[in-house]
Amino acid sequence: MRTVGIMLFACSLAGGAATVQARELREGDKYMCSWGAGTAARAQELKLSGVSLYAARQKIQTIKFNKSWMRMMAMGITEQTYDSRSRLKPEAIRQTFYQDCLRYKVARK
């Protein structure tokens, strides 16, 4: 009985720690995940509509980005999206990317 109590206490501490970690995400991390998710969704849209990777890259080159890291990140996300065999709808890609990105950011802390 004592070990069951200790196990329950340990599990509750672990659950509390996960909750605290989730709160520690900075706004910049959430913004980056949201932006990346939108980029992946747009790339999936282009891919499903038959636009070539070359044309998608050209479109990215014409976009004015707010931060210096965004252009290369957009290129990478677009290339990975085109390399994927996925035929999911863009909204599903957006949600999956966002959730996985947040999970990654929490795990890194």
Side-chain angles (χ1 to χ4, degrees):
M1 192 65 174
R2 186 177 211 171
T3 48
V4 172
I6 291 172
M7 295 274 290
L8 286 173
F9 180 70
C11 287
S12 67
L13 278 179
T19 304
V20 169
Q21 280 184 345
R23 287 189 204 135
E24 288 180 9
L25 279 178
R26 296 176 308 183
E27 283 302 312
D29 291 339
K30 290 179 185 178
Y31 172 76
M32 189 166 130
C33 288
S34 176
W35 176 85
T39 301
R42 279 191 301 279
Q44 184 74 355
E45 248 176 63
L46 292 172
K47 176 181 149 184
L48 293 177
S49 66
V51 175
S52 70
L53 176 58
Y54 178 78
R57 284 185 188 147
Q58 295 302 317
K59 286 185 183 211
I60 291 172
Q61 290 298 334
T62 63
I63 298 172
K64 173 97 168 103
F65 291 101
N66 296 335
K67 302 193 187 293
S68 59
W69 54 266
M70 288 179 160
R71 183 174 314 281
M72 289 306 293
M73 182 80 85
M75 289 288 209
I77 290 170
T78 301
E79 200 158 316
Q80 284 183 339
T81 302
Y82 270 79
D83 287 346
S84 167
R85 298 168 77 208
S86 171
R87 305 300 287 174
L88 290 173
K89 292 184 177 180
E91 191 53 41
I93 296 291
R94 179 188 311 267
Q95 289 175 338
T96 303
F97 188 102
Y98 185 74
Q99 290 168 353
D100 289 348
C101 180
L102 289 181
R103 227 177 273 128
Y104 172 77
K105 293 289 186 184
V106 168
R108 265 186 68 194
K109 292 196 182 263

